[in-house]
Amino acid sequence: FKSKKSSQFKNIVAAIVLTIVIGMFISASIVYFWQKASLKSAENSYKSEIFALKNQISDMKNKLNAKEKVKLTTKEENTKITPPANTTPDVEFAFEKCGHITNFIYEDWYSDLRSKLAEINIKPTNISSACYSEKGGIISAIAQTGVYCEGPRIYKYNTNTKTFGGAKVLNKGITCLSELDTFGRRNGHIITVTGERKDEHCNYKDYFDYNYGKNILELTATQSKCNGKNWVTTNY
């Protein structure tokens, strides 16, 4: 009887131990899977945060690159030498031939130029000097009318486009100026030109710079000699 009772007791103890072991195993499994799920969730959370940080860093880089690009563009624009509005760059080319306008009567553009001069009552005999540039495709001509104080006249004709026009005169406020005689020396895009006039008491010499590309004639100086005195130079 004792042996049977002892056997039952052992079985009960074994069952209790087994139950405890199973319980501990189940608890450990639950803890393990819970921790694993928590770690997975934390991993996903960290990945999301890292992705968001990467996006923020990328946005910041793009903004910095855009700012640097704007700075470089602004710097480049500021360092560019841009001509003022409504102006054209100065051009420079040689004139192969200068002389009287009749020296060019055999050129294919001469008859058209002569017609355009006739429209403003300028005859070939009124042209005192003309210079032709085949490379530049222009001929510039000095016209004289014989009218006192009327001032200088230069006409430019484009042999390629057949356009024609008088030079703009920058007279520096001087209303009485000399007619021109002949073209002087060319220096780059400028040809020096002079004219003389006189009145009852004085002799005058007017000096001009002719920008043949822009067709602009600018008064630079005037010399005057009055009542037998020395020449006086006025620069503008």
Side-chain angles (χ1 to χ4, degrees), residues 13 30 38 73 80 175 178 183 212 231:
V13 171
I30 291 172
S38 298
T73 303
K80 289 180 181 177
T175 56
S178 307
F183 288 107
Y212 52 86
W231 286 96

Side-chain angles (χ1 to χ4, degrees), residues 50-112:
I50 291 170
F51 182 76
L53 286 172
K54 285 183 176 179
N55 287 337
Q56 290 179 3
I57 292 170
S58 178
D59 290 340
M60 291 175 67
K61 285 183 177 179
N62 291 335
K63 289 179 180 179
L64 287 173
N65 289 335
K67 288 182 179 179
E68 290 298 323
K69 187 175 181 180
V70 169
K71 287 181 180 178
L72 288 173
T73 303
T74 304
K75 186 177 180 180
E76 289 175 358
E77 290 177 349
N78 290 338
T79 56
K80 289 180 181 177
I81 301 175
T82 306
N86 302 320
T87 65
T88 55
D90 291 314
V91 296
E92 180 180 343
F93 44 78
F95 289 82
E96 294 84 13
K97 187 188 295 185
C98 289
H100 197 268
I101 191 69
T102 54
N103 293 342
F104 307 101
I105 59 176
Y106 298 111
E107 300 288 347
D108 57 4
W109 42 261
Y110 178 79
S111 60
D112 183 64

